[in-house]
Amino acid sequence: MRLSPLTRALLGAFTALALVFVYLPLSLVLLNSFNTSRAFAWPPPGLTTRWWSQAWSSDGARSAIVVSLEVAAIATVVALVLGTMAAMALHRFRFFGRDTVSLLIILPIALPGVVTGIALANAFTTMLGLELGFLTVVVSHATFCIVTVFNNAIARMRRLGTTLEDASADLGAGTFTTFRLVTLPMLRSALLAGGLLSFALSFDEIIVTTFTAGSGVTTLPIWIYQNLFRPNQAPVVNVVAAALIVLSILPIWLAQRLAGTDESVAAAR
Amino acid sequence: MVKSFGPVTAVAGVDLAIADGEFFSMLGPSGSGKTTVLRMIAGFEQPTSGRVLLDDRDVTGVPPFARDVNTVFQDYALFPHMDVRANVEYGLRVKRVGRAERRERATAALETVRLGGYADRRPTQLSGGQRQRVALARALVNRPKVLLLDEPLGALDLKLRREMQLELKQIQRDVGITFVFVTHDQEEALTMSDRIAVFNDGRIEQVDTPARLYEAPATAFVAGFVGTSNLLRGSDARAVFGRDGTFSIRPEKIHLDDDAEPTKARGTVRAVVYLGSVNHYLVDLDGGGTLTVLRQNLRDSTDSALDQEGRRVALSWDDAHVIDLDDSGAGQPVGAGTETQEAP
């Protein structure tokens, strides 16, 4: 498409403005993590790595990160297994209520976290008689992590169709061999992208976590929230936030690279 | 066999016996049920009623992976994440054939389809014709009892398709495996097949050799679908043959002359279709109806052929070549009592 010089200039300006609006505050967080002033004075009176070493040695921050990583990892694994199975079931078989089931699987990601949180907490404590803790957080996170895996997997399956699986069966492979040798390799990049996204979703989840964690489990977002307004902890919180910015770029970048390989899958068809 | 999808009946009743080592084609327009029959033989669809017998063994409920049948799919369905060799070896691999034998048989299969040097390529790096050969090798390497081919040449251009037709036939002769070939292209079916089943609307109109289908079509549908239909019905027929009925004469069996005695019918040339080596003359008969006459351009120049438009002509033919389609004996030439059909 051809654009006039004026349109191009305007579009460029708006794009720049939007990017600045989003990324300037983020870079401020990064900068402030080196700010010598405890109150984040502007401009920074000096630069220091003191807060980084303090954060590194903070037991609260470290254990919160470990808990968050564990929760995200387990929830993602659960989501990968269940999400893939659900996608296969809905893709391969026609049955009564198929569209409804599909909707019900996707719904949790659209529901307000408060509602999900209250509902799950109630169900855990009253109906199931569970004590709120690590397990309940993992299960709650898995409910919305499944959606990203499911969506990625079913989109890929729809694009691939069933002829490859038919061909595999025709050549003598049973259901599980076909899954191992054909279906899974064809889904791999979609599952990785979905898994990374669900990991990221779980890692920074705070609302559902607040309701389902009880008092014993502190994930990173909850730790940050608890320490944010303690003046002497502010620089450490800021460092953790800065570290998270750097860390979260990684999975998103990877997911995008993997989505790029989808094109080669399409080309193979 | 009968196959219904909900309220839609795809196959209304098909009874077929295919001989061992035969090149058998299922020919018909799209939606006539031929592919559904193929998928029932492969095991991807279960017949609503009826049975599938393979070597006298009932395989109706047997899943595709347990049937001694392989398929070449319309879009080839090569595994994009494997190279050509891995694709061809796949069937042997899942049947736990040893690595050395696998390699040897895959190499031989690739040689058969003349793709010896392509084992390490990815399917994406191959042309349509090459992918088609890989799909063929991948199926043949398993030495199935029956090879099913679902319009495998449909995606190729005309020249390549002609080449592959001859090659497929040659490969089938060499390996001696029964081929069941689905196509909507009558020329393709006539070129390659030992026998052809003509499908229409979920039923089989006729099963016969290519020559018999062409020379003695059983129904008006077959006469029209295989070759150019040259039908005369009702009063048009009475004017020529002296009685009502549905008759067909192939265009090349009709002799066209300016003025000849004896003649079977007279008419006016409405149009001449120039086709290079031959011309089609569309002749409006005086008694009604139109016949297409094919004439080779042996002596005529293009100009003199086109000059025929609007001229009065006399048509003549051998009665043995007239096909009476209403005859309950179906597909018998009118003069069948005295003439013998040439064997294919």
Side-chain angles (χ1 to χ4, degrees):
Chain A
M1 194 171 64
R2 279 185 169 278
L3 297 171
S4 75
L6 180 68
T7 322
R8 285 168 66 126
L10 277 174
L11 279 175
F14 278 127
T15 309
L17 200 68
L19 289 176
V20 164
F21 188 76
V22 173
Y23 288 101
L24 195 65
L26 287 177
S27 37
L28 199 63
V29 170
L30 273 176
L31 183 65
N32 273 338
S33 69
F34 298 102
N35 196 333
T36 45
S37 155
R38 201 175 269 280
F40 308 138
W42 186 261
L47 296 176
T48 173
T49 56
R50 201 174 115 216
W51 312 126
W52 282 83
S53 56
Q54 223 177 67
W56 184 251
S57 55
S58 156
D59 286 340
R62 289 178 91 164
S63 84
I65 287 177
V66 170
V67 169
S68 271
L69 287 175
E70 282 172 359
V71 169
I74 300 173
T76 299
V77 169
V78 171
L80 279 172
V81 174
L82 295 182
T84 310
M85 282 164 64
M88 285 184 72
L90 289 180
H91 177 65
R92 286 233 72 162
F93 303 105
R94 310 265 170 276
F95 53 87
F96 176 75
R98 180 161 156 263
D99 294 339
T100 317
V101 171
S102 170
L103 180 75
L104 289 177
I105 290 176
I106 298 171
L107 200 59
I109 210 164
L111 280 179
V114 187
V115 177
T116 316
I118 294 171
L120 285 171
N122 272 334
F124 287 141
T125 50
T126 59
M127 272 172 59
L128 298 174
L130 287 173
E131 220 167 287
L132 294 181
F134 187 79
L135 179 74
T136 53
V137 175
V138 169
V139 172
S140 313
H141 283 201
T143 59
F144 54 82
C145 286
I146 286 176
V147 182
T148 64
V149 175
F150 173 82
N151 274 343
N152 273 280
I154 203 156
R156 174 66 58 84
M157 285 174 188
R158 288 205 177 115
R159 188 149 68 188
L160 288 173
T162 54
T163 33
L164 289 180
E165 287 168 349
D166 280 354
S168 172
D170 185 76
L171 290 164
T175 316
F176 290 102
T177 312
T178 296
F179 181 78
R180 185 168 58 87
L181 295 179
V182 177
T183 316
L184 196 58
M186 297 310 297
L187 287 181
R188 191 175 288 144
S189 59
L191 290 183
L192 247 154
L196 284 170
L197 204 59
S198 92
F199 190 92
L201 272 180
S202 163
F203 195 74
D204 76 351
E205 216 292 325
I206 184 157
I207 306 171
V208 175
T209 318
T210 314
F211 284 97
T212 54
S215 54
V217 181
T218 309
T219 63
L220 192 62
I222 289 188
W223 182 85
I224 292 178
Y225 191 67
Q226 284 168 351
N227 288 280
L228 192 58
F229 303 109
R230 295 183 191 165
N232 59 337
Q233 283 283 47
V236 175
V237 169
N238 200 63
V239 167
V240 172
L244 286 185
I245 291 172
V246 178
L247 279 179
S248 44
I249 290 172
L250 210 67
I252 297 303
W253 177 72
L254 270 177
Q256 212 171 35
R257 289 271 315 256
L258 289 170
T261 62
D262 281 12
E263 302 317 311
S264 62
V265 171
R269 294 272 304 138
Chain B
M1 292 190 296
V2 172
K3 176 67 186 178
S4 307
F5 296 99
V8 182
T9 303
V11 178
V14 161
D15 190 357
L16 262 182
I18 299 169
D20 196 20
E22 195 173 22
F23 198 123
F24 190 89
S25 288
M26 302 200 283
L27 172 68
S30 49
S32 59
K34 54 196 190 312
T35 295
T36 308
V37 170
L38 194 83
R39 289 179 63 82
M40 286 194 281
I41 302 175
F44 297 125
E45 308 286 354
Q46 284 295 315
T48 311
S49 69
R51 292 187 306 157
V52 181
L53 300 178
L54 185 61
D55 247 6
D56 293 328
R57 191 170 77 91
D58 190 343
V59 295
T60 312
V62 178
F65 56 82
R67 289 191 193 195
D68 203 358
V69 164
N70 286 116
T71 309
V72 175
F73 291 85
Q74 195 167 10
D75 59 359
Y76 317 139
L78 299 180
F79 305 124
H81 58 295
M82 299 180 190
D83 63 20
V84 166
R85 177 182 286 115
N87 263 287
V88 176
E89 284 184 3
Y90 188 87
L92 303 174
R93 181 177 165 201
V94 299
K95 282 176 214 118
R96 308 199 182 286
V97 173
R99 189 176 293 268
E101 188 190 342
R102 229 155 68 190
R103 176 63 72 101
E104 193 180 314
R105 279 168 69 176
T107 308
L110 283 171
E111 293 293 343
T112 310
V113 297
R114 297 192 295 141
L115 276 181
Y118 292 80
D120 297 322
R121 302 268 188 105
R122 291 263 167 178
T124 36
Q125 296 169 304
L126 301 179
S127 70
Q130 290 167 336
R131 287 184 204 187
Q132 210 272 323
R133 288 160 199 263
V134 175
L136 193 62
R138 185 176 70 173
L140 284 175
V141 78
N142 305 293
R143 298 174 193 150
K145 286 210 178 72
V146 180
L147 185 71
L148 306 173
L149 303 102
D150 186 6
E151 308 218 9
L153 310 181
L156 306 180
D157 62 62
L158 187 64
K159 191 165 178 294
L160 200 54
R161 200 154 69 212
R162 292 244 166 89
E163 281 174 31
M164 280 308 294
Q165 286 170 10
L166 296 176
E167 210 174 306
L168 263 181
K169 181 69 192 164
Q170 188 59 49
I171 289 171
Q172 192 264 341
R173 273 196 205 114
D174 292 346
V175 296
I177 292 172
T178 311
F179 275 33
V180 179
F181 188 92
V182 161
T183 180
H184 62 262
D185 182 335
Q186 48 117 346
E187 186 197 304
E188 204 164 279
L190 292 176
T191 310
M192 294 189 288
S193 318
D194 295 323
R195 284 195 307 153
I196 301 171
V198 180
F199 277 68
N200 181 31
D201 215 12
R203 293 183 188 281
I204 293 179
E205 296 267 335
Q206 187 176 1
V207 184
D208 229 321
T209 61
R212 291 275 306 162
L213 275 186
Y214 188 77
E215 311 261 339
T219 64
F221 178 83
V222 176
F225 199 76
V226 182
T228 308
S229 80
N230 237 357
L231 291 180
L232 288 178
R233 297 173 194 269
S235 59
D236 301 347
R238 197 178 328 135
V240 177
F241 299 103
R243 61 188 171 95
D244 283 0
T246 309
F247 299 90
S248 171
I249 321 164
R250 295 298 181 187
E252 71 278 9
K253 308 286 194 204
I254 304 174
H255 188 69
L256 179 142
D257 230 319
D258 288 341
D259 185 26
E261 291 294 341
T263 180
K264 303 282 184 184
R266 288 181 185 278
T268 312
V269 177
R270 190 209 312 159
V272 179
V273 182
Y274 179 69
L275 294 171
S277 60
V278 297
N279 287 326
H280 276 173
Y281 295 77
L282 273 68
V283 179
D284 289 332
L285 301 185
D286 293 345
T290 304
L291 284 178
T292 303
V293 180
L294 180 145
R295 193 153 85 169
Q296 273 191 295
N297 285 333
L298 293 176
R299 285 180 299 271
D300 304 349
S301 69
T302 314
D303 290 339
S304 74
L306 291 174
D307 196 39
Q308 296 276 328
E309 281 186 22
R311 293 256 183 108
R312 297 280 303 154
V313 288
L315 303 182
S316 57
W317 53 78
D318 185 340
D319 277 339
H321 294 136
V322 177
I323 304 149
D324 183 352
L325 293 164
D326 287 344
D327 201 345
S328 56
Q332 291 306 306
V334 171
T338 49
E339 296 282 329
T340 46
Q341 283 291 316
E342 203 179 314

